[in-house]
């Protein structure tokens, strides 16, 4: 817990009325999760499909770097 969090926790006590408050957004998300119980798992699968990649070995990294096509500094300028 960072210093700001502990300060807020210790010094910014909310009244009972505000502790029980849930915004419209929070209620919508809760209702959506109740209607679609597998939604979070599908989100994780989609994230894994697009972002989570298998580790690449050092030999493969070197091969990728060596096989990259060199690009001139300003790509829109004609070659001289």
């Amino acid at each position: 817990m960072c210093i700001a969090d502990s300060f807020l926790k210790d010094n910014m006590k909310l009244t009972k009325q505000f502790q029980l408050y849930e915004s419209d957004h929070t209620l919508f998300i809760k209702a959506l999760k109740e209607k679609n119980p597998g939604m979070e798992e599908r989100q994780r699968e989609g994230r894994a499909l697009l972002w989570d990649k298998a580790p690449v070995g050092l030999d493969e990294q070197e091969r990728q770097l060596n096989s990259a096509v060199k690009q001139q500094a300003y790509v829109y300028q004609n070659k001289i």
Side-chain angles (χ1 to χ4, degrees):
M1 183 184 305
C2 72
I3 295 171
D5 289 340
S6 66
F7 175 80
L8 289 174
K9 184 178 180 186
D10 295 338
N11 298 317
M12 303 292 288
K13 302 289 184 187
L14 297 175
T15 63
K16 194 69 155 176
Q17 176 186 3
F18 290 113
Q19 287 178 351
L20 300 176
Y21 172 76
E22 289 185 333
S23 69
D24 291 338
H25 179 78
T26 302
L27 295 174
F28 171 76
I29 295 297
K30 284 184 177 181
L32 186 63
K33 287 180 180 181
E34 287 176 8
K35 289 180 187 174
N36 303 310
M39 181 177 64
E40 289 185 52
E41 182 60 33
R42 289 191 305 274
Q43 285 178 328
R44 283 190 208 98
E45 289 171 1
R47 178 185 179 274
L49 180 67
L50 295 174
W51 295 102
D52 297 342
K53 304 294 182 194
V56 177
L58 294 176
D59 295 335
E60 179 65 18
Q61 286 180 5
E62 184 178 0
R63 187 192 68 74
Q64 289 176 354
L65 286 173
N66 292 336
S67 65
V69 176
K70 303 295 183 222
Q71 182 173 330
Q72 61 187 14
Y74 185 69
V75 296
Y76 299 108
Q77 181 178 7
N78 293 334
K79 291 184 181 182
I80 299 176

